[in-house]
Amino acid sequence: MLNLNKAQQACNKPADSGCSFAVLNYHRVMPIHTFWNEQVLDVGVFEQQLLQLKRFFRVLSLEQALQLASQGKVPVNAVVITIDDGFADCYDHIFPLLQRYQLPATFFFFFQGIQQGYLWENQIANAILQAPAEISTLQLQNLTFATADKTERHRSIVAITDLIKYHPMAQRNQLIADLIAQTGVPQMHHEFVTAEQLKQMAAAGMTIGAHTVHHPILSLESAETARAEIIQSKAILEQILAQPVHYFAYPNGKFAIDFSDEHVAQVRDSGFAAAFCTDWGQARPTQECRFRLRRFTPWDRNPWFFSLRLALHIVAERYSIRFLKEWVGTHGN
Ligand SMILES: [Zn+2]
């Protein structure tokens, strides 16, 4: 792990009131019957959360939040909604609900998803789910994964995805090729938004940000590869949208693990105005911290617990109440 530096410590401090805001981070929202991964949120649960946000919080666009923060005028209950990756759910489920309730949001897309229709990890899920029934185990890096029934297959998808995640892109692709060789070539479904849908979302007022080209963990790649991933993702999206792209989100997004100060500098030098990590906290767009804005997403499926946890998070961060921060950030199970 890389060392925490001075700027990291500065970003941990409470900001002056009116200068920080909460940022929620979503990935996938689907009907419950297609649910197989605990990170997937049911459409109905997501809608309940939007209603709670509309009722008790001030949902701002990212531009509004940054503007108000620069003036020290962010309302205490301000929330910015972000959605990472660009799965088809963004257009099919999230975007219509945002429009229905007139809520702004920021979407971070990585280009390979738009271009080929799937993320590297979708290849793992598809290969395992479509493997012939008689395949009851898979071998990868001297480990055995059970795939005899649906439950085992779902478990193995999660385990194999975690195993492959922390490899540089070249090795990641090799491991996936090994897996596909054992299961047979799966038919890949287009699971991402298309360029046309992306344009529609931008035209409807949604903010579109970049999230690299291939979704690598930047700290595992060379400096040149990381820089190219950052610069190209901005340029390609700008070409599709015919408008500037100002914001970036680091893949996986844990500072000092998934990216470092070197990548923060690369993002800043590439002409972005701000960038998001996945470390928990309030976004504080100061000079030192605007390229490492933090996010926090309550995991509660009950809408009232969701609101309560979000409100307590804001209070704990605003007044720097350590025990409350710890309590808010602790999973109950
Ligand atoms: Zn991502």
Side-chain angles (χ1 to χ4, degrees), residues 84-85 211 215:
D84 286 7
D85 294 338
H211 193 43
H215 207 279

Side-chain angles (χ1 to χ4, degrees), residues 27 84-85 108 110 119 211 215 249-252:
H27 286 89
D84 286 7
D85 294 338
F108 291 104
F110 75 96
L119 173 61
H211 193 43
H215 207 279
Y250 303 91
N252 237 45

Side-chain angles (χ1 to χ4, degrees), residues 309-328:
R309 193 181 300 278
L310 183 55
L312 290 177
H313 157 76
I314 291 171
V315 170
E317 288 276 330
R318 188 174 178 113
Y319 299 104
S320 206
I321 308 169
R322 201 184 168 136
F323 84 89
L324 190 57
K325 271 192 209 181
E326 283 170 16
W327 185 81
V328 167

Side-chain angles (χ1 to χ4, degrees), residues 87-129:
F87 283 97
D89 329 349
C90 291
Y91 185 82
D92 296 342
H93 305 299
I94 299 174
F95 177 49
L97 286 171
L98 291 168
Q99 285 200 304
R100 182 182 307 165
Y101 299 114
Q102 296 183 310
L103 294 169
T106 299
F107 292 83
F108 291 104
F109 293 101
F110 75 96
F111 180 62
Q112 192 184 28
I114 298 168
Q115 186 188 38
Q116 71 182 20
Y118 52 87
L119 173 61
W120 62 270
E121 62 184 56
N122 300 133
Q123 292 179 281
I124 298 171
N126 281 324
I128 295 174
L129 293 175

